[in-house]
Amino acid sequence: MLLASRVPARAGAVALDVGCGRGELARHLAATGYRVDAVDYSPAAIAAAQEETPAHGDSDGVADGVVTYVHLDIERDPLAALPQPAYDLITFRLSYAFVQDRTRVLHRLRERLRPGGALCVITPVAGAVPPGKRGIALDEEEIALLSAGWDTAERHDAEGLALLVLRGPLRTPVTYGNRGKPAPHALTGAGAVVTDETGRVLLGRSVHGLCELPGGKNAGGESFVRAAVRELEEETGLRAEAADARLVAMVMDEIHGMPRVTAAVRITAYTGAPVVREPELVRRWEWHEVADLPALAGGLFVPSAHVLETVWPGSLPGLPPVHRYHVVEAAPS
């Protein structure tokens, strides 16, 4: 297997297989010398994998106890539940495309790689699957984003699958970008800052490759607060009341010589779960740790960056110039 040749097991090496399913890759890694922790969000998958893993002394050489199966949702459960604090190899086999909060999960798993370790993703490529199956695959933009922020990123392709071998995580500074010259009537708008119960902030990965807050321009006669609440529901499906939204500040920068005004709106209560409702604008919504923002791969939309810096002062270094006018104290994070 190509994976075993690129990341051979050293003495005492430990691997983490994320989204292990029925345990095929976990058992293969164990047979090549790794001690393996295999996790999956599905209790049925874990039960099947345990049943199919041979006991000590079986003919394929996988010893009882070399693979430890754990029922764990890599996105929602604390990683403290993992059996080991650090790993020499972390793998995603046909599972990475199903991770919603990819940026945050990747940051947390990078922190658990031992020096010299590798994170490997085996994934279908969008160009090699039928249009109706694109949800199980990564396109070239997603593959490039996944490969960013590593000292080395190897790619091997075979029969519609890509094997990515990523080593040496780097903390590169976030960049800031815009989306082209806006129409004059679109130069006022609102950015909605929404956090989950753990304090993670919601950002969308736009079709332009930048991360941005929910929000957009306000209609004629519409307040910034009501615009933020409306745009939040239109873009993400999350529903909030205007009473639960607070205008924190107005920020003004310039683009193509024109002044641009963005209202920073903090929304403190909502119902629902984020979904992509405007796929022509946003590829997916993710919850991000605020501490990860300074190293966000792909960059931040400038007005969103200014709004985030308003709510969490000092979180984003090197921002473009802006005038900031505070209206009320930011709500507790």
Side-chain angles (χ1 to χ4, degrees):
M1 188 176 182
L2 180 60
L3 178 61
S5 67
R6 304 312 305 171
V7 285
R10 301 175 292 185
V14 184
L16 173 66
D17 185 25
V18 180
C20 65
R22 300 179 73 93
E24 297 94 338
L25 179 59
R27 290 190 291 274
H28 172 80
L29 292 172
T32 64
Y34 282 99
R35 186 157 45 96
V36 183
D37 294 336
V39 303
D40 200 288
Y41 78 97
S42 167
I46 292 296
Q50 290 172 328
E51 183 176 337
E52 295 180 23
T53 298
H56 178 70
D58 281 6
S59 59
D60 66 359
V62 181
D64 183 28
V66 170
V67 181
T68 300
Y69 293 103
V70 179
H71 175 219
L72 183 138
D73 187 330
I74 199 69
E75 291 191 75
R76 294 170 179 81
D77 295 335
L79 296 191
L82 289 171
Q84 303 294 327
Y87 294 90
D88 300 280
L89 173 65
I90 298 175
T91 59
F92 287 83
R93 177 179 175 269
L94 311 182
S95 58
Y96 188 78
F98 297 96
V99 178
Q100 180 69 27
D101 292 354
R102 298 172 191 170
T103 304
R104 174 175 57 82
V105 169
L106 195 63
H107 273 284
R108 299 291 78 78
L109 290 178
R110 284 159 50 119
E111 295 168 353
R112 287 181 171 260
L113 271 181
R114 288 177 175 171
L119 187 144
C120 297
V121 175
I122 302 169
T123 179
V125 179
V129 300
K133 298 276 190 178
R134 295 294 169 84
I136 70 170
L138 298 184
D139 60 20
E140 294 301 323
E141 182 178 333
E142 286 285 353
I143 289 174
L145 188 65
L146 171 61
S147 302
W150 298 85
D151 185 49
T152 61
E154 300 177 27
R155 175 174 173 173
H156 307 273
D157 291 278
E159 300 179 351
L161 295 178
L163 166 62
L164 305 173
V165 182
L166 311 173
R167 301 178 189 272
L170 302 173
R171 189 170 175 84
T172 55
V174 65
T175 59
Y176 308 105
N178 286 298
R179 302 179 306 213
K181 185 175 181 179
H185 70 276
L187 288 178
T188 65
V193 178
V194 180
T195 50
D196 67 5
E197 64 279 3
T198 66
R200 298 165 182 155
V201 63
L202 185 66
L203 295 175
R205 177 72 61 179
S206 80
V207 297
H208 303 284
L210 297 169
C211 283
E212 57 185 79
L213 292 165
K217 62 187 179 185
N218 53 320
E222 183 180 41
S223 73
F224 288 114
V225 165
R226 292 196 177 276
V229 169
R230 174 183 54 78
E231 290 281 353
L232 178 68
E233 182 174 2
E234 290 177 0
E235 294 181 351
T236 74
L238 298 182
R239 302 190 65 180
E241 301 295 331
D244 294 316
R246 303 176 65 188
L247 179 61
V248 177
M250 305 296 295
V251 295
M252 184 177 70
D253 64 348
E254 68 88 23
I255 180 170
H256 296 281
M258 295 180 288
R260 173 173 54 186
V261 177
T262 305
V265 178
R266 186 76 163 93
I267 295 178
T268 56
Y270 60 88
T271 59
V275 295
V276 175
R277 301 187 70 177
E278 297 178 338
E280 71 279 8
L281 300 176
V282 174
R283 292 177 177 269
R284 68 177 185 275
W285 293 100
E286 293 183 83
W287 297 104
H288 292 260
E289 305 280 0
V290 174
D292 290 339
L293 297 180
L296 195 62
L300 269 169
F301 182 44
V302 168
S304 294
H306 285 313
V307 170
L308 290 165
E309 176 67 15
T310 299
V311 175
W312 292 287
S315 61
L316 289 168
L319 277 168
V322 70
H323 298 284
R324 185 175 285 108
Y325 305 95
H326 288 273
V327 177
V328 296
E329 289 297 319
S333 302

